[in-house]
Amino acid sequence: QLQLQESGPGLMKPSETLSLTCTVSGGSITSSSSYWGWIRQPPGKGLEWIATIYYGGSTYYNPSLKSRVTISVDTSKNQFSLKLSSVTAADTAIYYCTRRNYGDYRIDPWGQGSLVTVSS
Amino acid sequence: EIVLTQSPGTLSLSPGERATLSCRASQTVSSSYLAWYQHKPGQAPRLLIYGASNRATGIPERFTGRGSGTDFTLTISRLEPEDFAVYFCQQYDTFGGGTKVEIK
């Protein structure tokens, strides 16, 4: 059974760069039917798509975050990562790593989520 | 940009009752890319329905998805205690605001 697990810093200060890693287990990150991505949910708000990557290197970014975001994949470790620069309190959220099915955009599975709090 | 509007925001029902959740798109969307998820606090969201009407693996038959064009519904025929959660719809990379199904 495919499982995703996020790892992240928990607490950060404004202006720092957020680094999150998602470890994929029970399957290969080089699956041809899989896109890997990040979605976040600020407290009390809805879900926001951040970025998606295919193991071959194709990347897709939310235009509203594109200037601050980089998504990458490490096939040797079966992991993918997210970097978000110049964080502010508005970036406080639960960050989920996800697998999106090629072709129909269904997201399955999701990671448990990693709470990132930005505070001075 | 497509906007997905879910209603109601909160649904207060008792176990055994029927729940009907709505997801309305701001423009016509393809049913092939409409999915529903269940989300409980502290847990990973769970895929329920994809392609508007296809139940995901292991999802009980009491969950039914229907719709086309701009209007989609998720129906839970008889609420079980474990069904009280937040439900949200998704189209491509856009998500609805969610409907909370709470115990009355």
Side-chain angles (χ1 to χ4, degrees):
Chain A
Q1 181 183 359
L2 190 68
Q3 291 185 310
L4 307 179
Q5 180 64 57
E6 306 89 348
S7 58
L11 182 62
M12 303 182 63
K13 295 187 184 302
S15 80
E16 293 182 335
T17 294
L18 168 63
S19 292
L20 290 163
T21 297
C22 183
T23 300
V24 179
S25 59
S28 175
I29 204 165
T30 61
S31 163
S32 61
S33 64
S34 302
Y35 283 75
W36 308 97
W38 293 92
I39 292 167
R40 71 180 182 179
Q41 185 171 33
K45 296 187 177 181
L47 293 159
E48 179 181 38
W49 168 68
I50 303 171
T52 300
I53 189 167
Y54 187 66
Y55 82 93
S58 300
T59 56
Y60 311 86
Y61 294 105
N62 185 324
S64 69
L65 297 168
K66 186 175 182 178
S67 63
R68 297 195 292 133
V69 173
T70 302
I71 190 170
S72 60
V73 65
D74 186 336
T75 56
S76 67
K77 296 182 179 178
N78 227 34
Q79 293 177 335
F80 62 101
S81 299
L82 180 78
K83 289 190 185 299
L84 178 66
S85 64
S86 305
V87 299
T88 69
D91 295 309
T92 294
I94 298 175
Y95 287 75
Y96 297 96
C97 63
T98 64
R99 174 200 168 271
R100 196 186 82 196
N101 195 57
Y102 174 82
D104 62 16
Y105 278 73
R106 71 179 113 147
I107 299 172
D108 184 38
W110 300 58
Q112 287 280 104
S114 177
L115 175 61
V116 175
T117 302
V118 181
S119 174
S120 56
Chain B
E1 181 184 337
I2 296 170
V3 176
L4 299 177
T5 302
Q6 290 189 243
S7 61
T10 302
L11 201 50
S12 298
L13 295 168
S14 300
E17 290 193 295
R18 181 185 189 90
T20 302
L21 289 65
S22 171
C23 175
R24 177 163 290 176
S26 57
Q27 58 187 276
T28 298
V29 299
S30 170
S31 300
S32 299
Y33 305 114
L34 195 288
W36 289 93
Y37 301 83
Q38 177 191 68
H39 193 193
K40 297 180 181 178
Q43 296 186 18
R46 179 172 72 144
L47 173 69
L48 298 175
I49 302 288
Y50 65 95
S53 60
N54 302 292
R55 272 186 294 273
T57 302
I59 300 304
E61 291 185 359
R62 63 180 182 274
F63 291 93
T64 301
R66 291 190 178 91
S68 63
T70 60
D71 291 314
F72 300 86
T73 60
L74 174 69
T75 301
I76 311 170
S77 58
R78 288 178 57 85
L79 284 164
E80 297 287 340
E82 63 268 27
D83 297 337
F84 291 92
V86 173
Y87 294 83
F88 59 91
C89 56
Q90 173 224 356
Q91 166 81 201
Y92 292 119
D93 293 314
T94 299
F95 298 90
T99 291
K100 181 179 181 180
V101 179
E102 65 176 22
I103 299 176
K104 186 175 182 179

